[in-house]
Amino acid sequence: MNLFQNKKKWNSFKMFLYVLPFIVLVLIFAYYPLYGWVYAFFDYKPPKPFSIHDFVGLKWFKSLVENPIKINQLLQVLKNTFAMSGITLATSWLPMIFAVFMNELRCVPFRKFVQTVTTLPNFISWVLVYSVAYSLFNSTGMANTLLQTLGITTEPILFLQSSEHVWLTMWLWLTWKNLGWSAIMYIAAISGIDDEMYQAAKVDGASRLQMIWYITIPSLLPTYFVLLMLNIANFLSNGMEQYYVFQNAFNKETIQVLDLYVYNTAMGSGSYSVSVAISMLKSVVSLILLFFANTMSKLIRGESFL
């Protein structure tokens, strides 16, 4: 009995050693940076040492709502953030449908080709994505050259400089970049569906569309709801890279999301303490959304994802 218990403890210890590097990475990159929150309570002005700066308490948090200009600017940023996150959330089912479409392709070489082509953009940096967009849609790019050659327009259309439809164009670029990669999890979930269910459906005379509707999609819904709840928890986190490379003087008001606003506040105007205060509030709201999404998961699915 003691030998069995010792072996069990040793196996548990080995399992812990397997995950230990990842725990260390999480501590370093997710929890250690939280020390930087202390800057929100000081009048920090780089490059002076942090030790000589004055403690100001909640001054920077109050400054966010004391100035009408800042309030309007912050409201516009939140409007952009909610709009872009809302569009992404409303179309979060697209990767699932794309995975179903991929699964229905019977030509294996063509299926592999489509999957490769749609997955590769995920590994391209947003700088290169913008380079492609600039080559296609700048005033002398391929799109404008083609439109003027065909006589459709007489002057170039400023696709990238326009502030109209920014939310839609950003969503299109994001979807193009992430659709194939986001579908991988659903493709893996489809491969785990019991094939006997499909065989029984064929015996009952079900068509391919009926098998998709009554077997494939219901089997994918648990995975979809878990990912949906996680997206709700990250509602305020749009990321910065995409919007940073696409922003310019013409569309800055409509493209600036919360993450980009924090970066511009710190690096553009040098208000490091204010940017940390905004980032803190965003993290607190995201944590509240995470618990809200977990509660909704319990109510809807009967189980939590935490």
Side-chain angles (χ1 to χ4, degrees), residues 39 43-53 270 272:
Y39 288 92
D43 187 14
Y44 178 68
K45 296 177 181 178
K48 298 178 181 179
F50 179 73
S51 57
I52 67 172
H53 292 91
Y272 292 93

Side-chain angles (χ1 to χ4, degrees), residues 41-258:
F41 304 99
F42 286 82
D43 187 14
Y44 178 68
K45 296 177 181 178
K48 298 178 181 179
F50 179 73
S51 57
I52 67 172
H53 292 91
D54 298 327
F55 178 79
V56 295
L58 299 177
K59 173 184 176 181
W60 304 119
F61 293 92
K62 294 177 181 177
S63 68
L64 297 175
V65 294
E66 288 178 347
N67 190 332
I69 297 177
K70 280 190 176 181
I71 293 176
N72 292 332
Q73 188 178 35
L74 193 58
L75 288 176
Q76 179 63 40
V77 169
L78 289 175
K79 180 181 177 182
N80 299 337
T81 304
F82 274 67
M84 294 186 191
S85 294
I87 294 173
T88 304
L89 201 63
T91 56
S92 58
W93 48 270
L94 280 176
M96 181 176 67
I97 300 302
F98 182 72
V100 173
F101 162 75
M102 292 286 297
N103 185 63
E104 292 302 312
L105 293 177
R106 293 294 178 256
C107 181
V108 176
F110 180 68
R111 182 172 61 191
K112 290 182 177 180
F113 171 76
V114 173
Q115 187 173 356
T116 302
V117 169
T118 55
T119 304
L120 279 177
N122 180 75
F123 302 98
I124 301 175
S125 70
W126 279 111
V127 175
L128 292 179
V129 172
Y130 179 75
S131 299
V132 173
Y134 185 80
S135 299
L136 293 175
F137 299 110
N138 75 85
S139 57
T140 58
M142 187 184 74
N144 275 305
T145 301
L146 182 62
L147 290 174
Q148 293 180 54
T149 301
L150 296 176
I152 299 175
T153 60
T154 55
E155 296 182 356
I157 301 174
L158 303 179
F159 292 104
L160 299 178
Q161 291 89 340
S162 175
S163 61
E164 298 180 1
H165 314 299
V166 170
W167 299 341
L168 179 60
T169 55
M170 290 298 100
W171 171 77
L172 289 173
W173 284 111
L174 182 65
T175 301
W176 171 78
K177 192 173 188 296
N178 293 339
L179 182 62
W181 177 258
S182 301
I184 289 178
M185 189 171 295
Y186 293 105
I187 294 173
I190 290 174
S191 64
I193 300 175
D194 191 354
D195 191 58
E196 292 183 1
M197 298 174 64
Y198 291 106
Q199 297 300 329
K202 288 181 180 179
V203 172
D204 291 339
S207 63
R208 290 177 65 179
L209 186 60
Q210 288 175 323
M211 287 189 286
I212 291 173
W213 185 255
Y214 291 107
I215 299 177
T216 307
I217 292 181
S219 299
L220 294 179
L221 286 180
T223 302
Y224 170 73
F225 280 119
V226 170
L227 295 177
L228 179 65
M229 296 301 172
L230 292 175
N231 287 335
I232 292 174
N234 293 320
F235 193 78
L236 296 180
S237 300
N238 304 87
M240 184 202 73
E241 296 85 356
Q242 175 187 3
Y243 308 100
Y244 177 76
V245 297
F246 276 93
Q247 74 169 345
N248 52 59
F250 301 96
N251 64 12
K252 186 175 181 179
E253 183 177 352
T254 53
I255 201 175
Q256 189 170 222
V257 294
L258 196 55

Side-chain angles (χ1 to χ4, degrees), residues 7-31:
K7 186 176 181 181
K8 187 176 181 180
K9 289 180 179 179
W10 172 244
N11 288 334
S12 300
F13 181 69
K14 286 197 298 184
M15 294 297 105
F16 172 74
L17 290 179
Y18 288 146
V19 301
L20 182 60
F22 301 100
I23 295 175
V24 173
L25 288 174
V26 170
L27 291 174
I28 293 175
F29 292 102
Y31 288 98

